[in-house]
Amino acid sequence: MAVLQTAAQLFNERGFHSTSLDDIAAQLHVSKPTLYYYVKNKDEILLQCVSKGLEMTLEGIEASRAAGGNAVEQLRACMRVYADIVMQPFGMCLIRVGDQEVPEPSRTKLRQMKAEIDLSFRRLVEQGVQEGLLQASDTKMAAFVIEGALSWIGRWYQPGGEYTPQQIADRCIAILCDGVLRRPKRPAKSQ
């Protein structure tokens, strides 16, 4: 696991193509031949890192759904899980490096896992509309916007920045759920 954590960190900082197996070995204070005991090549390391990020996301979404509540409560919980994971090394790796760097047939498997995440968000949005709690007229587009906005956190987030991961997740979820437009205050009804 140390190999994967170190690799994910380096991929996030330097990029996949700018990180060599020598870099990973040096960071771990081991020789390059020692790395080959654990992995075949850099592509395999990337595949494992991205897979780990996807698995964490799918498990978190499933746990959020299993916790129950109405569609909005479940959606917020899933958004929280997703935002939290994209600020962690494996989640960042998933977002920053992506599956286009992964060779086939692994790329297809990763894209299927991503499709499962998308489907989970779509189902929650559709359920929210059916329950009368959400007004999304295009549930597919709403799911894409939610996922896209939360994914983008993994691109710009820097540990030790102005906001904690908790604050970032809270603020992003609030903006996505409440919007940015000021709503006119309705006059109080007289009795």
Side-chain angles (χ1 to χ4, degrees):
M1 189 62 132
V3 170
L4 296 182
Q5 290 173 331
T6 300
Q9 193 66 42
L10 290 173
F11 293 158
N12 292 335
E13 292 171 3
R14 302 177 183 179
F16 175 70
H17 292 297
S18 297
T19 302
S20 68
L21 285 177
D22 289 322
D23 296 330
I24 297 168
Q27 190 75 22
L28 290 166
H29 306 291
V30 300
S31 67
K32 189 173 175 180
T34 301
L35 271 184
Y36 284 117
Y37 177 77
Y38 297 100
V39 294
K40 289 189 299 194
N41 55 40
K42 191 170 78 165
D43 287 345
E44 181 185 340
I45 294 172
L46 176 63
L47 174 61
Q48 289 182 34
C49 290
V50 173
S51 292
K52 181 73 175 156
L54 281 166
E55 289 165 8
M56 290 169 58
T57 303
L58 288 169
E59 288 169 6
I61 289 172
E62 184 57 37
S64 297
R65 301 264 346 239
N70 66 35
V72 171
E73 291 164 342
Q74 288 182 36
L75 180 60
R76 283 182 183 271
C78 288
M79 291 167 72
R80 159 76 54 204
V81 163
Y82 196 72
D84 289 343
I85 289 171
V86 300
M87 289 185 275
Q88 297 174 31
F90 293 121
M92 274 184 174
C93 191
L94 170 65
I95 301 303
R96 291 183 180 183
V97 177
D99 58 24
Q100 67 274 12
E101 305 292 341
V102 178
E104 286 293 354
S106 300
R107 181 182 311 148
T108 299
K109 179 184 175 208
L110 292 174
R111 288 183 176 166
Q112 288 170 342
M113 292 173 79
K114 284 184 174 184
E116 288 177 51
I117 294 168
D118 174 59
L119 189 56
S120 295
F121 275 101
R122 280 193 210 185
R123 286 180 180 148
L124 280 171
V125 172
E126 287 170 2
Q127 183 182 340
V129 170
Q130 290 171 358
E131 291 176 9
L133 302 171
L134 297 176
Q135 63 178 354
S137 59
D138 185 336
T139 57
K140 178 180 177 179
M141 186 63 68
F144 282 163
V145 169
I146 291 167
E147 294 166 64
L150 295 175
S151 291
W152 203 250
I153 296 169
R155 293 236 178 238
W156 56 259
Y157 171 71
Q158 292 295 322
E162 181 180 351
Y163 300 111
T164 67
Q166 174 80 26
Q167 290 171 320
I168 291 169
D170 289 344
R171 290 175 187 203
C172 288
I173 292 168
I175 290 169
L176 284 167
C177 291
D178 301 331
V180 295
L181 295 178
R182 182 179 301 268
R183 290 174 177 81
K185 292 184 180 181
R186 293 187 176 148
K189 292 182 180 181
S190 57
Q191 294 187 0

